[in-house]
Short mmCIF file of all heavy atoms in Angstrom, two decimals:
data_model
loop_
_atom_site.label_atom_id
_atom_site.label_comp_id
_atom_site.label_asym_id
_atom_site.label_seq_id
_atom_site.Cartn_x
_atom_site.Cartn_y
_atom_site.Cartn_z
N MET A 14 0.80 -1.22 0.05
CA MET A 14 0.03 -0.02 -0.01
C MET A 14 0.86 1.22 0.05
O MET A 14 1.97 1.24 0.33
CB MET A 14 -0.89 0.04 1.21
CG MET A 14 -1.97 -1.09 1.24
SD MET A 14 -2.98 -0.94 -0.29
CE MET A 14 -3.80 0.67 -0.04
N TYR A 15 0.29 2.29 -0.42
CA TYR A 15 1.03 3.54 -0.45
C TYR A 15 0.42 4.61 0.45
O TYR A 15 -0.71 4.60 0.71
CB TYR A 15 0.92 4.17 -1.90
CG TYR A 15 1.58 3.16 -2.88
CD1 TYR A 15 0.82 2.56 -3.91
CD2 TYR A 15 2.96 2.92 -2.82
CE1 TYR A 15 1.47 1.76 -4.81
CE2 TYR A 15 3.59 2.14 -3.79
CZ TYR A 15 2.76 1.57 -4.74
OH TYR A 15 3.50 0.63 -5.63
N GLU A 16 1.26 5.62 0.76
CA GLU A 16 0.96 6.68 1.62
C GLU A 16 1.40 7.93 0.97
O GLU A 16 2.35 8.02 0.32
CB GLU A 16 1.66 6.43 3.03
CG GLU A 16 1.14 7.43 4.01
CD GLU A 16 1.84 7.20 5.40
OE1 GLU A 16 2.53 6.17 5.46
OE2 GLU A 16 1.57 7.96 6.31
N MET A 17 0.54 9.04 1.04
CA MET A 17 0.92 10.27 0.56
C MET A 17 1.69 10.96 1.57
O MET A 17 1.61 10.89 2.79
CB MET A 17 -0.33 11.15 0.27
CG MET A 17 -1.14 10.68 -0.81
SD MET A 17 -0.35 10.39 -2.46
CE MET A 17 -0.04 12.12 -2.92
N TRP A 18 2.73 11.77 1.13
CA TRP A 18 3.68 12.48 1.88
C TRP A 18 3.89 13.84 1.39
O TRP A 18 4.27 14.04 0.26
CB TRP A 18 5.06 11.70 1.96
CG TRP A 18 6.15 12.28 2.78
CD1 TRP A 18 6.76 13.45 2.57
CD2 TRP A 18 6.75 11.79 4.00
NE1 TRP A 18 7.76 13.63 3.47
CE2 TRP A 18 7.65 12.67 4.43
CE3 TRP A 18 6.49 10.53 4.84
CZ2 TRP A 18 8.41 12.49 5.64
CZ3 TRP A 18 7.22 10.41 5.86
CH2 TRP A 18 8.20 11.35 6.28
N ALA A 19 3.59 14.81 2.16
CA ALA A 19 3.66 16.19 1.82
C ALA A 19 4.93 16.86 2.40
O ALA A 19 5.13 16.79 3.61
CB ALA A 19 2.43 17.02 2.18
N GLU A 20 5.63 17.62 1.55
CA GLU A 20 6.75 18.49 2.07
C GLU A 20 6.63 19.81 1.69
O GLU A 20 6.12 20.01 0.53
CB GLU A 20 7.96 17.83 1.60
CG GLU A 20 8.56 16.63 2.11
CD GLU A 20 10.09 16.20 1.60
OE1 GLU A 20 10.49 16.94 0.66
OE2 GLU A 20 10.59 15.41 2.23
N SER A 21 7.02 20.75 2.40
CA SER A 21 7.12 22.05 2.00
C SER A 21 8.45 22.20 1.16
O SER A 21 9.46 21.65 1.55
CB SER A 21 7.08 23.03 3.12
OG SER A 21 8.18 22.86 3.85
N ASP A 22 8.32 22.97 0.01
CA ASP A 22 9.41 23.10 -0.82
C ASP A 22 10.09 24.43 -0.65
O ASP A 22 9.43 25.54 -1.11
CB ASP A 22 9.08 22.87 -2.27
CG ASP A 22 10.22 22.74 -3.23
OD1 ASP A 22 11.26 23.25 -2.81
OD2 ASP A 22 9.93 22.40 -4.36
N PRO A 23 11.21 24.51 0.02
CA PRO A 23 11.69 25.87 0.36
C PRO A 23 12.32 26.67 -0.91
O PRO A 23 12.49 27.74 -0.90
CB PRO A 23 12.90 25.50 1.34
CG PRO A 23 13.27 24.18 1.00
CD PRO A 23 12.00 23.50 0.54
N ALA A 24 12.46 25.82 -2.05
CA ALA A 24 12.93 26.45 -3.23
C ALA A 24 11.87 27.20 -3.89
O ALA A 24 12.19 27.98 -4.87
CB ALA A 24 13.58 25.30 -4.19
N VAL A 25 10.60 27.01 -3.60
CA VAL A 25 9.53 27.66 -4.29
C VAL A 25 8.98 28.75 -3.36
O VAL A 25 8.76 28.54 -2.20
CB VAL A 25 8.38 26.61 -4.53
CG1 VAL A 25 7.23 27.40 -5.14
CG2 VAL A 25 8.87 25.53 -5.51
N GLU A 26 8.81 29.92 -3.90
CA GLU A 26 8.22 31.06 -3.22
C GLU A 26 7.07 31.68 -3.90
O GLU A 26 7.13 31.99 -4.97
CB GLU A 26 9.41 32.22 -3.12
CG GLU A 26 9.15 33.14 -2.09
CD GLU A 26 9.08 32.68 -0.62
OE1 GLU A 26 9.85 31.81 -0.25
OE2 GLU A 26 8.15 33.06 0.10
N PRO A 27 5.93 31.82 -3.23
CA PRO A 27 5.68 31.30 -1.88
C PRO A 27 5.64 29.83 -1.82
O PRO A 27 5.30 29.18 -2.79
CB PRO A 27 4.22 31.95 -1.52
CG PRO A 27 3.71 32.11 -2.93
CD PRO A 27 4.79 32.40 -3.83
N SER A 28 5.94 29.31 -0.66
CA SER A 28 6.18 27.83 -0.67
C SER A 28 4.89 27.01 -0.76
O SER A 28 3.80 27.37 -0.25
CB SER A 28 6.82 27.43 0.81
OG SER A 28 5.80 27.72 1.81
N ALA A 29 4.98 26.08 -1.70
CA ALA A 29 3.83 25.18 -2.05
C ALA A 29 4.15 23.82 -1.44
O ALA A 29 5.28 23.46 -1.17
CB ALA A 29 3.73 25.14 -3.50
N LEU A 30 3.13 23.14 -1.21
CA LEU A 30 3.29 21.76 -0.79
C LEU A 30 3.66 20.82 -2.07
O LEU A 30 3.06 20.88 -3.07
CB LEU A 30 2.06 21.21 -0.16
CG LEU A 30 1.74 21.64 1.35
CD1 LEU A 30 0.56 20.92 1.93
CD2 LEU A 30 2.99 21.47 2.17
N MET A 31 4.55 19.93 -1.80
CA MET A 31 4.90 19.00 -2.75
C MET A 31 4.52 17.60 -2.23
O MET A 31 4.99 17.19 -1.25
CB MET A 31 6.43 18.96 -3.12
CG MET A 31 6.85 17.83 -4.02
SD MET A 31 6.13 17.94 -5.66
CE MET A 31 7.34 18.79 -6.53
N TRP A 32 3.67 16.90 -3.00
CA TRP A 32 3.19 15.63 -2.53
C TRP A 32 3.95 14.51 -3.27
O TRP A 32 4.14 14.48 -4.46
CB TRP A 32 1.72 15.42 -2.88
CG TRP A 32 0.87 16.29 -2.08
CD1 TRP A 32 0.35 17.51 -2.19
CD2 TRP A 32 0.29 15.88 -0.84
NE1 TRP A 32 -0.38 17.87 -1.26
CE2 TRP A 32 -0.54 16.82 -0.32
CE3 TRP A 32 0.35 14.68 0.03
CZ2 TRP A 32 -1.14 16.85 0.96
CZ3 TRP A 32 -0.31 14.59 1.25
CH2 TRP A 32 -1.05 15.69 1.69
N HIS A 33 4.54 13.70 -2.40
CA HIS A 33 5.21 12.37 -2.84
C HIS A 33 4.35 11.23 -2.45
O HIS A 33 3.45 11.27 -1.57
CB HIS A 33 6.62 12.25 -2.26
CG HIS A 33 7.66 13.32 -2.66
ND1 HIS A 33 8.35 13.26 -3.96
CD2 HIS A 33 8.13 14.47 -2.17
CE1 HIS A 33 9.08 14.34 -4.10
NE2 HIS A 33 8.94 15.10 -3.06
N VAL A 34 4.68 10.16 -3.05
CA VAL A 34 4.13 8.96 -2.67
C VAL A 34 5.15 8.01 -1.92
O VAL A 34 6.23 7.84 -2.52
CB VAL A 34 3.40 8.25 -3.86
CG1 VAL A 34 2.71 6.92 -3.40
CG2 VAL A 34 2.45 9.14 -4.58
N VAL A 35 4.73 7.38 -0.83
CA VAL A 35 5.71 6.52 -0.18
C VAL A 35 5.13 5.11 -0.05
O VAL A 35 3.99 4.96 0.37
CB VAL A 35 5.92 7.08 1.23
CG1 VAL A 35 7.03 6.38 1.97
CG2 VAL A 35 6.19 8.47 1.32
N SER A 36 5.95 4.20 -0.18
CA SER A 36 5.63 2.77 0.02
C SER A 36 5.66 2.49 1.44
O SER A 36 6.48 2.97 2.18
CB SER A 36 6.46 1.89 -0.72
OG SER A 36 6.45 0.69 -0.19
N LYS A 37 4.75 1.72 2.04
CA LYS A 37 4.58 1.36 3.40
C LYS A 37 5.84 0.58 3.84
O LYS A 37 6.35 0.56 4.90
CB LYS A 37 3.38 0.54 3.68
CG LYS A 37 2.15 1.36 3.59
CD LYS A 37 1.67 1.97 4.86
CE LYS A 37 0.29 2.60 4.69
NZ LYS A 37 -0.25 3.29 5.89
N GLU A 38 6.34 -0.09 2.75
CA GLU A 38 7.57 -1.03 3.10
C GLU A 38 8.78 -0.27 3.21
O GLU A 38 9.60 -0.70 3.96
CB GLU A 38 7.79 -2.12 1.96
CG GLU A 38 6.69 -3.11 1.91
CD GLU A 38 5.42 -2.73 1.09
OE1 GLU A 38 5.63 -2.43 -0.07
OE2 GLU A 38 4.32 -2.59 1.64
N ASP A 39 8.90 0.88 2.60
CA ASP A 39 10.11 1.62 2.75
C ASP A 39 9.73 3.18 2.91
O ASP A 39 9.59 3.87 1.91
CB ASP A 39 10.98 1.55 1.51
CG ASP A 39 12.27 2.24 1.59
OD1 ASP A 39 12.48 2.77 2.65
OD2 ASP A 39 13.08 2.29 0.65
N ALA A 40 9.57 3.50 4.11
CA ALA A 40 9.04 4.78 4.33
C ALA A 40 10.11 5.84 4.40
O ALA A 40 9.85 7.07 4.68
CB ALA A 40 8.22 4.85 5.77
N SER A 41 11.31 5.55 4.21
CA SER A 41 12.40 6.51 4.17
C SER A 41 12.64 7.10 2.88
O SER A 41 13.26 8.17 2.78
CB SER A 41 13.69 5.86 4.73
OG SER A 41 14.12 4.87 3.84
N THR A 42 12.06 6.48 1.84
CA THR A 42 12.40 7.19 0.49
C THR A 42 11.01 7.13 -0.33
O THR A 42 10.28 6.13 -0.22
CB THR A 42 13.35 6.16 -0.20
OG1 THR A 42 14.54 5.98 0.54
CG2 THR A 42 13.90 6.85 -1.56
N ALA A 43 10.82 8.18 -0.97
CA ALA A 43 9.66 8.23 -1.86
C ALA A 43 9.83 7.40 -3.01
O ALA A 43 10.97 7.02 -3.31
CB ALA A 43 9.35 9.59 -2.26
N LEU A 44 8.75 7.11 -3.80
CA LEU A 44 8.87 6.23 -5.01
C LEU A 44 9.83 6.82 -6.05
O LEU A 44 10.36 6.17 -6.85
CB LEU A 44 7.44 6.09 -5.54
CG LEU A 44 6.47 5.31 -4.72
CD1 LEU A 44 5.21 5.07 -5.39
CD2 LEU A 44 7.10 4.00 -4.12
N CYS A 45 9.99 8.09 -6.00
CA CYS A 45 10.87 8.84 -7.01
C CYS A 45 12.36 8.78 -6.53
O CYS A 45 13.19 9.14 -7.36
CB CYS A 45 10.41 10.23 -7.22
SG CYS A 45 10.61 11.16 -5.73
N GLY A 46 12.54 8.22 -5.34
CA GLY A 46 13.93 8.24 -4.87
C GLY A 46 14.39 9.31 -3.98
O GLY A 46 15.45 9.38 -3.50
N GLN A 47 13.41 10.18 -3.83
CA GLN A 47 13.65 11.36 -2.83
C GLN A 47 13.76 10.95 -1.41
O GLN A 47 12.92 10.08 -0.98
CB GLN A 47 12.48 12.35 -2.92
CG GLN A 47 12.41 13.43 -1.91
CD GLN A 47 13.08 14.71 -2.31
OE1 GLN A 47 13.21 15.00 -3.40
NE2 GLN A 47 13.62 15.37 -1.29
N LEU A 48 14.86 11.24 -0.80
CA LEU A 48 14.90 10.86 0.68
C LEU A 48 13.94 11.80 1.46
O LEU A 48 13.87 12.91 1.20
CB LEU A 48 16.35 11.18 1.16
CG LEU A 48 17.40 10.06 0.83
CD1 LEU A 48 18.72 10.54 1.34
CD2 LEU A 48 17.01 8.82 1.44
N LEU A 49 13.20 11.10 2.45
CA LEU A 49 12.25 11.78 3.12
C LEU A 49 12.76 11.89 4.59
O LEU A 49 13.19 11.01 5.17
CB LEU A 49 10.92 11.02 3.11
CG LEU A 49 10.35 10.74 1.72
CD1 LEU A 49 9.12 9.85 1.85
CD2 LEU A 49 9.96 12.13 1.07
N GLU A 50 12.54 13.13 5.10
CA GLU A 50 12.97 13.42 6.46
C GLU A 50 11.71 13.81 7.24
O GLU A 50 10.90 14.71 6.91
CB GLU A 50 13.91 14.52 6.50
CG GLU A 50 15.26 14.25 5.88
CD GLU A 50 16.24 15.41 6.01
OE1 GLU A 50 16.30 16.07 7.03
OE2 GLU A 50 16.76 15.67 4.95
N LEU A 51 11.47 13.13 8.34
CA LEU A 51 10.30 13.39 9.18
C LEU A 51 10.21 14.96 9.52
O LEU A 51 9.08 15.44 9.60
CB LEU A 51 10.36 12.60 10.46
CG LEU A 51 9.61 11.24 10.39
CD1 LEU A 51 9.83 10.58 11.67
CD2 LEU A 51 8.10 11.44 10.24
N SER A 52 11.29 15.59 9.76
CA SER A 52 11.28 16.94 10.11
C SER A 52 10.83 17.88 9.06
O SER A 52 10.35 18.97 9.39
CB SER A 52 12.72 17.35 10.53
OG SER A 52 13.57 17.22 9.39
N ARG A 53 10.84 17.35 7.93
CA ARG A 53 10.30 18.27 6.72
C ARG A 53 8.87 17.89 6.30
O ARG A 53 8.24 18.55 5.51
CB ARG A 53 11.20 18.06 5.59
CG ARG A 53 12.51 18.77 5.81
CD ARG A 53 13.48 18.55 4.52
NE ARG A 53 12.76 18.89 3.14
CZ ARG A 53 13.31 18.50 2.09
NH1 ARG A 53 14.39 17.79 2.02
NH2 ARG A 53 12.70 18.84 0.97
N ARG A 54 8.37 16.85 6.96
CA ARG A 54 6.93 16.50 6.56
C ARG A 54 5.96 17.52 7.08
O ARG A 54 6.05 18.15 8.04
CB ARG A 54 6.65 15.14 7.33
CG ARG A 54 5.22 14.69 6.76
CD ARG A 54 4.99 13.21 7.14
NE ARG A 54 3.85 12.78 6.42
CZ ARG A 54 3.33 11.57 6.50
NH1 ARG A 54 3.83 10.72 7.43
NH2 ARG A 54 2.30 11.12 5.81
N VAL A 55 5.04 17.76 6.17
CA VAL A 55 3.94 18.74 6.44
C VAL A 55 2.63 17.95 6.55
O VAL A 55 2.33 17.15 5.62
CB VAL A 55 3.78 19.79 5.35
CG1 VAL A 55 2.62 20.61 5.59
CG2 VAL A 55 5.10 20.56 5.29
N VAL A 56 1.97 18.11 7.67
CA VAL A 56 0.55 17.46 7.81
C VAL A 56 -0.49 18.45 7.46
O VAL A 56 -0.61 19.40 8.21
CB VAL A 56 0.54 16.85 9.22
CG1 VAL A 56 -0.88 16.20 9.34
CG2 VAL A 56 1.58 15.92 9.58
N PRO A 57 -1.14 18.39 6.44
CA PRO A 57 -2.26 19.27 6.15
C PRO A 57 -3.15 19.34 7.25
O PRO A 57 -3.57 18.41 7.89
CB PRO A 57 -2.84 18.67 4.85
CG PRO A 57 -1.81 17.75 4.28
CD PRO A 57 -0.96 17.32 5.48
N GLY A 58 -3.60 20.52 7.52
CA GLY A 58 -4.49 20.70 8.57
C GLY A 58 -3.90 21.09 9.96
O GLY A 58 -4.40 21.29 10.94
N GLY A 59 -2.47 21.06 9.76
CA GLY A 59 -1.73 21.39 11.00
C GLY A 59 -1.51 22.75 11.14
O GLY A 59 -2.30 23.62 10.91
N LEU A 60 -0.19 23.16 11.32
CA LEU A 60 0.10 24.55 11.58
C LEU A 60 0.34 25.36 10.37
O LEU A 60 0.23 26.57 10.40
CB LEU A 60 1.47 24.57 12.44
CG LEU A 60 1.38 23.99 13.73
CD1 LEU A 60 2.82 24.08 14.50
CD2 LEU A 60 0.42 24.75 14.74
N THR A 61 0.49 24.66 9.23
CA THR A 61 0.63 25.39 7.97
C THR A 61 -0.57 26.19 7.57
O THR A 61 -1.69 25.71 7.61
CB THR A 61 1.12 24.56 6.77
OG1 THR A 61 0.39 23.39 7.04
CG2 THR A 61 2.51 24.40 6.76
N GLU A 62 -0.47 27.40 7.29
CA GLU A 62 -1.62 28.22 6.82
C GLU A 62 -1.75 28.19 5.25
O GLU A 62 -0.73 27.97 4.62
CB GLU A 62 -1.37 29.64 7.25
CG GLU A 62 -1.33 29.84 8.68
CD GLU A 62 -1.06 31.37 8.94
OE1 GLU A 62 -1.32 32.23 8.21
OE2 GLU A 62 -0.59 31.62 10.10
N PRO A 63 -3.05 28.19 4.84
CA PRO A 63 -3.12 28.11 3.42
C PRO A 63 -2.48 29.40 2.72
O PRO A 63 -2.62 30.42 3.17
CB PRO A 63 -4.63 28.28 3.23
CG PRO A 63 -5.23 27.99 4.57
CD PRO A 63 -4.23 28.34 5.50
N THR A 64 -1.81 29.16 1.75
CA THR A 64 -1.07 30.21 1.05
C THR A 64 -1.72 30.72 -0.19
O THR A 64 -1.29 31.57 -0.92
CB THR A 64 0.47 29.71 0.73
OG1 THR A 64 0.31 28.57 -0.03
CG2 THR A 64 1.26 29.41 1.99
N GLY A 65 -2.67 29.93 -0.63
CA GLY A 65 -3.36 30.18 -1.88
C GLY A 65 -2.64 29.63 -3.08
O GLY A 65 -3.05 29.76 -4.20
N VAL A 66 -1.52 28.92 -2.73
CA VAL A 66 -0.83 28.24 -3.85
C VAL A 66 -1.26 26.87 -3.90
O VAL A 66 -1.34 26.08 -2.99
CB VAL A 66 0.75 28.33 -3.37
CG1 VAL A 66 1.50 27.55 -4.68
CG2 VAL A 66 1.14 29.71 -3.22
N PRO A 67 -1.42 26.39 -5.10
CA PRO A 67 -2.05 25.07 -5.33
C PRO A 67 -0.94 24.02 -4.98
O PRO A 67 0.32 24.31 -5.27
CB PRO A 67 -2.42 25.00 -6.84
CG PRO A 67 -1.81 26.08 -7.46
CD PRO A 67 -1.59 27.22 -6.50
N ASP A 68 -1.31 22.90 -4.38
CA ASP A 68 -0.34 21.90 -4.10
C ASP A 68 0.17 21.32 -5.42
O ASP A 68 -0.46 21.40 -6.48
CB ASP A 68 -1.09 20.73 -3.35
CG ASP A 68 -1.56 21.24 -1.97
OD1 ASP A 68 -1.22 22.36 -1.52
OD2 ASP A 68 -2.11 20.35 -1.26
N ARG A 69 1.40 20.79 -5.40
CA ARG A 69 2.02 20.19 -6.45
C ARG A 69 2.23 18.71 -6.19
O ARG A 69 2.40 18.39 -5.03
CB ARG A 69 3.42 20.85 -6.73
CG ARG A 69 3.19 22.31 -7.05
CD ARG A 69 4.50 22.91 -7.61
NE ARG A 69 5.54 22.77 -6.54
CZ ARG A 69 6.85 22.55 -6.96
NH1 ARG A 69 7.16 22.60 -8.22
NH2 ARG A 69 7.79 22.37 -6.04
N TYR A 70 2.23 17.95 -7.22
CA TYR A 70 2.32 16.50 -7.10
C TYR A 70 3.57 15.97 -7.88
O TYR A 70 3.78 16.47 -8.96
CB TYR A 70 1.12 15.87 -7.46
CG TYR A 70 -0.11 16.08 -6.72
CD1 TYR A 70 -0.89 17.18 -6.91
CD2 TYR A 70 -0.37 15.29 -5.60
CE1 TYR A 70 -1.93 17.50 -6.02
CE2 TYR A 70 -1.52 15.61 -4.76
CZ TYR A 70 -2.27 16.72 -5.03
OH TYR A 70 -3.23 16.97 -4.14
N CYS A 71 4.31 15.11 -7.27
CA CYS A 71 5.62 14.69 -7.79
C CYS A 71 5.18 13.70 -9.00
O CYS A 71 4.63 12.66 -8.69
CB CYS A 71 6.41 14.02 -6.67
SG CYS A 71 7.82 13.25 -7.30
N ASP A 72 5.57 14.07 -10.13
CA ASP A 72 5.26 13.27 -11.28
C ASP A 72 5.86 11.94 -11.26
O ASP A 72 5.13 10.96 -11.59
CB ASP A 72 5.70 14.06 -12.61
CG ASP A 72 4.72 15.18 -12.97
OD1 ASP A 72 3.53 15.23 -12.47
OD2 ASP A 72 5.17 16.08 -13.62
N PRO A 73 7.11 11.78 -10.99
CA PRO A 73 7.79 10.39 -11.00
C PRO A 73 6.99 9.44 -9.98
O PRO A 73 6.86 8.31 -10.29
CB PRO A 73 9.14 10.67 -10.59
CG PRO A 73 9.41 12.04 -10.98
CD PRO A 73 8.12 12.79 -10.90
N CYS A 74 6.58 10.00 -8.83
CA CYS A 74 5.93 9.31 -7.85
C CYS A 74 4.58 8.74 -8.40
O CYS A 74 4.25 7.56 -8.33
CB CYS A 74 5.70 10.06 -6.56
SG CYS A 74 6.96 10.03 -5.46
N LEU A 75 3.85 9.70 -9.02
CA LEU A 75 2.47 9.30 -9.48
C LEU A 75 2.57 8.34 -10.53
O LEU A 75 1.70 7.34 -10.81
CB LEU A 75 1.73 10.64 -9.89
CG LEU A 75 1.40 11.60 -8.76
CD1 LEU A 75 0.69 12.67 -9.33
CD2 LEU A 75 0.63 10.81 -7.62
N LEU A 76 3.62 8.53 -11.52
CA LEU A 76 3.70 7.62 -12.66
C LEU A 76 4.05 6.19 -12.09
O LEU A 76 3.53 5.21 -12.68
CB LEU A 76 5.00 8.09 -13.52
CG LEU A 76 4.54 9.16 -14.45
CD1 LEU A 76 5.77 9.65 -15.22
CD2 LEU A 76 3.48 8.80 -15.46
N THR A 77 4.92 6.04 -11.13
CA THR A 77 5.11 4.77 -10.53
C THR A 77 3.99 4.15 -9.92
O THR A 77 3.69 2.84 -10.26
CB THR A 77 6.23 4.96 -9.34
OG1 THR A 77 7.41 5.62 -9.87
CG2 THR A 77 6.63 3.62 -8.81
N VAL A 78 3.03 4.85 -9.30
CA VAL A 78 1.90 4.25 -8.74
C VAL A 78 1.01 3.81 -9.87
O VAL A 78 0.43 2.66 -9.85
CB VAL A 78 1.10 5.33 -7.91
CG1 VAL A 78 -0.24 4.81 -7.50
CG2 VAL A 78 1.93 5.68 -6.65
N ARG A 79 0.88 4.62 -10.86
CA ARG A 79 -0.04 4.26 -12.07
C ARG A 79 0.46 3.00 -12.73
O ARG A 79 -0.32 2.04 -13.00
CB ARG A 79 -0.03 5.45 -13.07
CG ARG A 79 -1.28 5.44 -13.98
CD ARG A 79 -1.30 6.62 -14.84
NE ARG A 79 -0.20 6.47 -15.89
CZ ARG A 79 0.03 7.41 -16.77
NH1 ARG A 79 -0.72 8.38 -16.79
NH2 ARG A 79 1.04 7.28 -17.65
N ASP A 80 1.82 2.96 -12.82
CA ASP A 80 2.42 1.70 -13.51
C ASP A 80 2.13 0.52 -12.63
O ASP A 80 1.82 -0.64 -13.18
CB ASP A 80 3.83 1.91 -13.80
CG ASP A 80 4.20 2.90 -14.88
OD1 ASP A 80 3.18 3.28 -15.57
OD2 ASP A 80 5.32 3.30 -15.09
N THR A 81 2.25 0.60 -11.37
CA THR A 81 2.10 -0.49 -10.48
C THR A 81 0.71 -0.90 -10.41
O THR A 81 0.35 -2.16 -10.42
CB THR A 81 2.55 -0.02 -8.97
OG1 THR A 81 3.90 0.54 -9.00
CG2 THR A 81 2.36 -1.28 -7.99
N MET A 82 -0.22 0.05 -10.41
CA MET A 82 -1.70 -0.30 -10.47
C MET A 82 -1.93 -1.03 -11.79
O MET A 82 -2.77 -2.10 -11.79
CB MET A 82 -2.62 0.93 -10.43
CG MET A 82 -2.36 1.78 -9.15
SD MET A 82 -3.07 0.78 -7.76
CE MET A 82 -2.89 2.06 -6.45
N ALA A 83 -1.41 -0.54 -12.91
CA ALA A 83 -1.71 -1.21 -14.15
C ALA A 83 -1.20 -2.57 -14.19
O ALA A 83 -1.87 -3.48 -14.70
CB ALA A 83 -1.06 -0.39 -15.38
N ALA A 84 -0.02 -2.82 -13.61
CA ALA A 84 0.66 -4.13 -13.67
C ALA A 84 -0.27 -5.02 -12.73
O ALA A 84 -0.22 -6.27 -12.98
CB ALA A 84 2.03 -3.97 -13.06
N ALA A 85 -0.78 -4.55 -11.74
CA ALA A 85 -1.63 -5.30 -10.80
C ALA A 85 -3.03 -5.62 -11.40
O ALA A 85 -3.82 -6.38 -10.85
CB ALA A 85 -1.75 -4.69 -9.41
N GLY A 86 -3.32 -5.02 -12.53
CA GLY A 86 -4.55 -5.33 -13.25
C GLY A 86 -5.76 -4.51 -12.66
O GLY A 86 -6.96 -4.83 -12.93
N GLY A 87 -5.40 -3.32 -11.99
CA GLY A 87 -6.55 -2.68 -11.53
C GLY A 87 -6.17 -1.21 -11.21
O GLY A 87 -6.97 -0.50 -10.67
ZN1 ZN B 148 8.36 11.87 -5.41
#
């Protein structure tokens, strides 16, 4: 199973959330190979205020999920 992981991206101004996908089996690395640090995780609904900037989704992560779903036949 997969889990969504949101990080704030300091390289983007104003900062937008970047969503990665994490496998439950290996929660230290996103599907795209990005190392994930708990300290950088953003939990929506937490302390972050809405910035009006749309969330962004990691394309490599989403492609991996799509391919995996397709391979699983569903
Ligand atoms: Zn990713």
Side-chain angles (χ1 to χ4, degrees):
M14 290 305 294
Y15 297 114
E16 188 178 355
M17 296 301 292
W18 179 292
E20 283 188 350
S21 60
D22 188 346
V25 178
E26 195 63 45
S28 67
L30 284 186
M31 170 64 93
W32 286 92
H33 291 281
V34 184
V35 188
S36 160
K37 294 264 189 187
E38 288 88 62
D39 183 5
S41 64
T42 312
L44 296 186
C45 64
Q47 165 95 26
L48 281 177
L49 301 174
E50 295 177 42
L51 265 178
S52 60
R53 286 177 52 192
R54 185 172 196 179
V55 174
V56 179
L60 295 175
T61 33
E62 295 179 21
T64 57
V66 180
D68 293 357
R69 299 188 307 148
Y70 292 86
C71 177
D72 286 338
C74 276
L75 294 183
L76 281 175
T77 302
V78 171
R79 201 177 66 184
D80 289 350
T81 304
M82 298 290 186

